[in-house]
Amino acid sequence: MQSQDVAPRPGRPSPSAASSASSSDPLVDVEQAEAALVEHYPRLVRLAYLVLPPGLGRGRRVLTAHALTQRALPRGRTPAPVIPAQSTGRDGDPGYALVRLQVLRTALEAGLPLRRRAWPKRSQLPPGLPQVWGLKLFPRSGGADELALDQRLSALSGPARAAYVLRGLEKLPDSDVRKVLTAAGVDDGDAALSEADGVAARYALLESPEFDPCSLQARPTDLMRRRQHTKAALAAAAAVAVCGALLGLPGDGWGPDGAAAPAYARNPAAQAALDPGRVTRVAATAWKTSARTDFSVWPARGGLTGDRELLRRALAVWARPGETVQVSATPGTPSGGPAGPPQLLYAGTVDTVRVVILYDGLRIARYAEPKDGAKGAALDFARVDGATGAEANAVVLGRADGNVRYLTAPWVTKAAERDLLKPGSGAMDLALTDGVAAPLAGPAQSGACTSWNVLQLTDTSGTRLLTDLGELVPAHLTTGRPGSAHEASGARGLRTWAPFACSLAAVRAAGVRGVNAWEFATQPLPDASGSATWVCTRAETWRGVGTRALAQFRTPGGAYGAVAAKAENVPACGPREPHVLAGVLWKSEAGPWYLLAAGSRGTTSITATGAAAGSAQGNLLAVQSKQGAQAELKGTLRDGRSIDGLG
């Protein structure tokens, strides 16, 4: 095991330049442009994706954005544009300014209408490379804010979209935006800036995964249609007949299904699952007489539970999400259609969208569409098989402006918001209206971790803490020895979690079911300055695999803990193996460095080998060492078994 240093970290080294060319050099060679393109490739592709016309569809926009960026290299030494590179870290890099200008120019050209008796420009044609066969690729879904911004940008002209993106993504002032647009071939930069002023300045959302064509999700193309095309190559006449039979839909056709893709099969079971009249609805009082405390006894709530057309669209999109649907799923969660009629948990309006929450016994599915009738929809999945009690206490209805709104279980009697970093502060009550909690501020997504807000729910069995980790179902927080953990809502549990709350950011979007914090040892420091605390936090997932364990070390008076060791998919620190051993290099105030190691209760001896060697009886070890020393830890348990250091 490599122990880790928790002494103050040195400052970051300054970033290397993308090119050695001076800012006064009037020419940019191919190597300099290539260095800038490779270093800033994700940002350039994001810029192209945002400027390209939305009418291309998300899948083609992704491939076209990559194609335009990869074709942005000049063929030889090229004069550098007399425009700034970027106001945040790329000033003076003519290579970046050159390739950015080329990406912007071709993205704007791609949105121009084709003209009669004129050859189309290369950027107006389908991308040659890269190509993906058999898969549809699209960025990960964002929230209601990202969906609303995407719709507003789609209503702008190409130059206005470019102006908005240069302002928000590139942080350029309007004078520089005007220069870039003129260099890219825009006739009236002032008009583009004025049109962009009509969209609210939500520039931080441009950095969202919603607009990141380098972080993608994959779905198969229409499998039946691909099979038909194969048959067409063998027998064209027969394939035409088969395609006509499959694609010519009887009855209502595609209109009522909203953003769903065309249906490729009709059978009684599939149609029953898509019939809004067959959706399961549970009585409002069923949970009071049932032995179960899970999603199967949640009643249908919300003001739109009787809107059959909304339910029809939600079911159809679940079965066949179309090109304009943003689909996301927690790791290990299948995103196919329901096997039978699902259970309705909620249908209503949340902020600026209409939301439908459905449950099929394995998954929670959330469908959202703009309430103003604009095109596009979002479909999110979360695995919840085996959820009971606290795990089935809440579902995310929506996120907007950094706030989260929850739908709570019918047995929840009280909701509150609490800052996990401040165990001594009280909880702020949240109003509950038909199970819908008032919005609460979510945990910080980026920047310094100065607070970590959690949802505190009181039900018929007690008070529980849940935290939003960016998924549909919040994670349940507990404390205590694995196998006998208890709720974290008590005074001792809050004190245990406070220094380590920010470490929850490491398990965002990982399909986490619950996280337990276990204070497994207290160690007197060698310089007699007090006692340090050892805590192991372990995140369990809905899919079983992907568990993560962190051994964290906190010195007396420290505001936060430091990660000393970490591991994935190991039994340590969990119910199957409620033992852990970890070590860390620590520098005393007097100057000497020490290797400190601690094991959980039941550890009878610890041995360290390597650059820091030593041994001790019991579950604590302190050996004087040197900065940067590496050591391997082994321990012995009371029953004679050996235990290795975590990580």
Side-chain angles (χ1 to χ4, degrees), residues 79-113:
V82 189
I83 50 180
Q86 194 210 29
S87 63
T88 55
R90 281 173 267 281
D91 288 331
D93 185 354
Y96 177 76
L98 177 65
V99 293
R100 182 188 63 190
L101 178 61
Q102 180 61 17
V103 168
L104 184 64
R105 179 185 293 121
T106 53
L108 288 170
E109 289 175 351
L112 296 176

Side-chain angles (χ1 to χ4, degrees), residues 481-482 518 538 570-580 600 637 639 641-643:
R481 185 179 180 84
W518 171 35
R538 179 182 173 93
V570 297
C573 196
R576 290 182 178 272
E577 184 61 43
H579 301 285
V580 65
S600 54
L637 299 177
D639 59 7
R641 291 184 297 143
S642 62
I643 181 174

Side-chain angles (χ1 to χ4, degrees), residues 12 44 48 61 85 98 102 178 403 468 495 505 507 610 638:
R12 288 186 177 180
L44 292 167
R61 279 172 71 193
L98 177 65
Q102 180 61 17
R178 193 177 294 106
N403 296 323
D468 177 31
R495 289 195 301 270
V507 291
R638 188 176 294 126

Side-chain angles (χ1 to χ4, degrees), residues 397-480:
L397 278 180
R399 297 182 177 89
D401 299 324
N403 296 323
V404 188
R405 191 186 291 272
Y406 291 95
L407 176 67
T408 62
W411 50 83
V412 169
T413 58
K414 185 179 180 182
E417 175 182 352
R418 175 182 288 281
D419 187 351
L420 203 56
L421 290 182
K422 300 173 183 177
S425 63
M428 183 178 69
D429 289 344
L430 298 173
L432 279 177
T433 306
D434 194 23
V436 178
L440 72 151
Q445 299 290 322
S446 60
C449 180
T450 57
S451 66
W452 192 278
N453 294 323
V454 296
L455 177 65
Q456 179 174 294
L457 296 181
T458 302
D459 57 31
T460 53
S461 300
T463 301
R464 313 164 190 288
L465 295 185
L466 305 172
T467 185
D468 177 31
L469 295 179
E471 296 171 330
L472 277 182
V473 180
H476 181 206
L477 300 181
T478 57
T479 58

Side-chain angles (χ1 to χ4, degrees), residues 226-252:
R226 284 163 51 186
R227 182 176 298 175
Q228 293 163 12
H229 290 171
T230 302
K231 292 179 180 179
L234 301 174
V240 169
V242 172
C243 290
L246 290 177
L247 298 181
L249 297 181
D252 294 335

